[in-house]
């Protein structure tokens, strides 16, 4: 993890879980993380309807996307070529209680770009039919245009899974394995398809 906010949320989550695979969702106290609350979110996977959506989203994150994200499908934020890979990452967090950090580029409606880091942390949810993830998404640099030019598309760059039992708050997460972005040999930019090639 590179971002201070991601490290702070991981440390908080790790302290709550103790010897368990993850803390219970009811243990999360917003006041404990109020300084980073604007960038945090909770995802909900409804097993009955197989629906993955934002249950809650912080104000800074919503402002960056130019809309309220509560109830919005999580995969709708991502480039369609990355949907399967992102869903696999989220599924692994749910199924194996294995945190994940993702690096991606967010594109705005006017074509600007911002580099982001996203941390996904599993939460226990009793016997309910829904599973939850506590997450945070933070730009890796300060950009004055964020909030005025809504983000419209997220492109996966890389990521890694974290083994919490091998982790301390001060250490960088070990690679467990790396998440590779989808093959971009044929990339879509707006309405065009770019095919990488060369001269013989």
């Amino acid at each position: 993890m590179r971002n201070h906010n991601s490290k702070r949320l991981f440390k908080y989550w790790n302290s709550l879980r103790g010897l368990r695979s993850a803390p219970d969702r009811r243990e999360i106290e917003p006041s404990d993380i109020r300084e980073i609350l604007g960038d945090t979110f909770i995802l909900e996977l409804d097993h009955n309807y197989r629906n993955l959506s934002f249950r809650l989203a912080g104000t800074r994150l919503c402002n960056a996307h130019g809309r309220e994200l509560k109830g919005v499908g999580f995969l709708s934020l991502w480039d369609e070529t990355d949907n399967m890979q992102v869903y696999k990452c989220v599924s692994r967090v749910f199924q194996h209680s294995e945190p994940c950090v993702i690096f991606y580029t967010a594109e705005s409606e006017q074509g600007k770009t911002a580099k982001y880091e996203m941390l996904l942390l599993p939460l226990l949810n009793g016997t309910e039919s829904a599973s939850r993830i506590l997450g945070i998404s933070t730009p890796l640099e300060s950009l004055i245009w964020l909030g005025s030019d809504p983000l419209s598309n997220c492109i996966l760059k890389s990521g890694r899974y974290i083994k919490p039992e091998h982790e301390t708050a001060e250490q960088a997460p070990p690679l467990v394995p790396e998440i590779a972005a989808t093959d971009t040999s044929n990339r879509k930019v707006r309405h065009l398809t770019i095919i990488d090639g060369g001269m013989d």
Side-chain angles (χ1 to χ4, degrees):
M1 288 171 280
R2 302 175 190 171
N3 192 276
H4 173 74
N5 288 353
S6 296
K7 292 177 181 178
R8 179 164 183 174
L9 187 63
F10 181 85
K11 183 177 181 180
Y12 175 68
W13 174 88
N14 210 22
S15 67
L16 289 178
R17 76 181 183 91
L19 298 176
R20 298 168 296 172
S21 61
D24 189 277
R25 65 176 181 84
R26 290 165 292 191
E27 296 176 70
I28 304 299
E29 286 290 344
S31 60
D32 292 341
I33 52 173
R34 55 183 173 275
E35 292 84 0
I36 58 173
L37 204 56
D39 299 310
T40 62
F41 58 89
I42 291 180
L43 296 180
E44 180 176 72
L45 175 65
D46 189 314
H47 297 288
N48 292 330
Y49 298 99
R50 297 185 179 181
N51 181 48
L52 176 63
S53 60
F54 285 94
R55 183 172 179 83
L56 295 170
T59 54
R60 281 193 295 270
L61 188 58
C62 291
N63 287 341
H65 286 271
R67 55 175 168 158
E68 172 60 60
L69 292 176
K70 182 178 180 180
V72 173
F74 180 65
L75 295 179
S76 70
L77 302 187
W78 297 88
D79 191 88
E80 62 180 21
T81 59
D82 294 325
N83 270 357
M84 184 58 70
Q85 183 64 62
V86 172
Y87 185 76
K88 286 180 180 178
C89 296
V90 174
S91 295
R92 183 162 170 172
V93 176
F94 280 127
Q95 294 171 7
H96 302 289
S97 292
E98 199 166 75
C100 177
V101 60
I102 292 174
F103 299 97
Y104 67 96
T105 297
E107 297 177 332
S108 75
E109 292 180 355
Q110 296 180 21
K112 299 184 182 74
T113 60
K115 293 180 180 179
Y116 269 79
E117 177 179 280
M118 177 181 287
L119 177 65
L120 301 173
L121 300 165
L123 295 175
L124 301 179
N125 200 37
T127 58
E128 296 181 26
S129 62
S131 297
R132 307 275 172 83
I133 282 179
L134 173 65
I136 188 165
S137 185
T138 316
L140 293 176
E141 56 184 333
S142 179
L143 298 169
I144 60 173
W145 58 267
L146 278 175
S148 61
D149 184 7
L151 301 177
S152 58
N153 192 42
C154 299
I155 301 172
L156 176 68
K157 294 302 179 183
S158 66
R160 60 187 65 184
Y161 299 102
I162 303 168
K163 289 289 189 185
E165 63 270 24
H166 298 154
E167 182 74 5
T168 65
E170 291 73 28
Q171 294 174 331
L175 191 67
V176 180
E178 188 153 356
I179 300 162
T182 308
D183 178 19
T184 56
S185 55
N186 291 350
R187 302 188 308 277
K188 284 194 175 293
V189 178
R190 302 281 187 253
H191 62 287
L192 304 174
T193 299
I194 299 174
I195 301 175
D196 291 335
M199 298 179 66
D200 292 333

